Amino acid sequence: MQKLGHSGIKLSQLRALIAVADCSNFSEAAWQLGLTQPTVSHAIANLEAELGVILLIRGRQGAKLTPAGEEILTHSRKVLQSLSLMQQSANRHKGLQGGQVRVATFRSAAAQLLPETVAAFGRNLPNISVTITEHYDTPYVEQALRAGTADVGVTILPAADDLETWTSFEDDYLVLLSPNSDWSEPQVDWAFLTTTPLILYPDDNSCFRSVNDYFQTAGYHLKPRYQFRETSTILNMVAQGLGAAIVPRLSAHTVPPEVKLAELPSPLTRQVGVTVLADSLHTPAVFAFLDTLRQAIAETRVNPIA
């Protein structure tokens, strides 16, 4: 077989082969890899086409390796093991054999964005510890960076001038409708929003300020019926039929199944960004974590309830 760098074989294809071989099932392998089953099947098909041999046979009992597949699987494991050893060697020279990264974030990003990123970072750099501090709102994230208690922040842009930021993705706002709501269209109108009891965050919350500005720009006055700090309380109030809520998509990752979703009359989004204190000296561990975080965002494009 040709060297990996001089052929059309991709590491993702080898990972797919190993996962299917370990699970004996395409669906379970896809779940482990965080991919769809067609994506895994496509990766295996392309690998077979590149090598010119059949590697797996599907059957009622699942996926079974062919004799050629058994041999290629052994080589695949060695390739990924060598890659891991190569990365470890590079990390030693980059000073990544120890240290810590302190992350400050607002709540919904902590739940939706960081767990997978931290897990991936730990697999590549197990000797670097990552701590996450969850804050009620984004101003506290910026305060933690200035106070030196955090190295990396996940916040809402724009941020202050003393922070260096990268736009990560747009997080759109959704309307959550109670189970007994008569509204059945995919998009609500202003008549609905101005006559339905609204359940929102408190006045000092950045999400409330965004929604309030949204109403004012459209020429309406926002009058929430209820206001709560906890997203779980807002969701439960909606589920009990006490009104509708307007929340960012990131915050809606645990929507009760009976709650219905709808779009606003016109789009309302917020820019979620990664930030560090500008002109500060950061350790190699911090830069490595930033790379992992940016890669995870680029690959996933967080969409928790799509």
Side-chain angles (χ1 to χ4, degrees):
M1 188 177 83
Q2 289 179 305
K3 293 182 180 179
L4 186 65
H6 295 165
S7 73
I9 298 175
K10 299 178 180 179
L11 292 173
S12 58
Q13 296 169 349
L14 302 186
R15 293 190 179 99
L17 175 64
I18 293 171
V20 174
D22 289 343
C23 299
S24 298
N25 184 284
F26 275 77
S27 297
E28 187 176 344
W31 182 83
Q32 280 194 2
L33 294 170
L35 302 171
T36 63
Q37 182 175 336
T39 299
V40 173
S41 297
H42 186 65
I44 297 296
N46 285 344
L47 180 59
E48 290 177 329
E50 180 68 29
L51 295 172
V53 293
I54 300 299
L55 303 176
L56 290 161
I57 297 176
R58 295 176 186 253
R60 292 184 177 181
Q61 303 302 319
K64 182 179 179 181
L65 288 164
T66 64
E70 292 279 2
E71 290 189 30
I72 299 302
L73 176 67
T74 299
H75 293 307
S76 298
R77 294 190 191 278
K78 290 180 179 179
V79 168
L80 293 186
Q81 182 180 20
S82 296
L83 182 65
S84 176
L85 292 173
M86 181 170 59
Q87 185 66 64
Q88 291 175 24
S89 296
N91 290 341
R92 284 194 295 271
H93 289 282
K94 290 190 294 185
L96 294 175
Q97 285 303 98
Q100 67 171 348
V101 179
R102 302 164 301 169
V103 183
T105 178
F106 61 96
R107 289 180 178 178
S108 55
Q112 285 295 94
L113 177 62
L114 290 177
E116 184 176 348
T117 300
V118 173
F121 185 77
R123 288 192 292 269
N124 292 329
L125 299 168
N127 295 322
I128 297 175
S129 65
V130 178
T131 59
I132 300 174
T133 304
E134 182 185 72
H135 294 279
Y136 166 65
D137 204 359
T138 55
Y140 302 102
V141 173
E142 297 183 11
Q143 290 175 14
L145 292 169
R146 295 188 186 97
T149 58
D151 306 302
V152 178
V154 181
T155 186
I156 303 300
L157 303 183
D161 292 339
D162 60 338
L163 300 176
E164 184 178 358
T165 61
W166 298 268
T167 301
S168 299
F169 60 92
E170 286 190 349
D171 187 24
D172 57 314
Y173 282 74
L174 302 170
V175 181
L176 308 184
L177 307 175
S178 64
N180 58 8
S181 174
D182 293 332
W183 193 267
S184 59
E185 298 298 322
Q187 184 179 52
V188 300
D189 58 21
W190 280 107
F192 175 88
L193 289 179
T194 54
T195 57
T196 300
L198 293 179
I199 308 168
L200 302 175
Y201 294 102
D203 290 12
D204 64 349
N205 185 276
S206 60
C207 291
F208 175 87
R209 292 192 293 269
S210 293
V211 174
N212 189 46
D213 291 344
Y214 177 78
F215 269 67
Q216 290 183 356
T217 300
Y220 296 97
H221 182 59
L222 178 61
K223 296 180 179 179
R225 176 71 62 84
Y226 307 101
Q227 292 178 273
F228 299 101
R229 287 184 177 272
E230 296 294 335
T231 302
S232 59
T233 305
I234 293 175
L235 298 180
N236 287 332
M237 293 286 285
V238 174
Q240 293 300 317
L242 297 174
I246 303 174
V247 300
R249 186 177 291 269
L250 269 180
S251 300
H253 63 280
T254 55
V255 173
E258 64 271 22
V259 171
K260 296 180 286 186
L261 309 178
E263 297 178 359
L264 287 163
S266 59
L268 174 62
T269 63
R270 61 179 183 174
Q271 295 284 333
V272 180
V274 179
T275 183
V276 297
L277 197 62
D279 301 324
S280 292
L281 296 176
H282 301 293
T283 65
V286 170
F287 285 114
F289 184 82
L290 286 171
D291 288 339
T292 302
L293 183 56
R294 287 196 290 263
Q295 181 179 353
I297 292 170
E299 291 177 352
T300 60
R301 290 297 175 187
V302 177
N303 191 14
I305 58 175

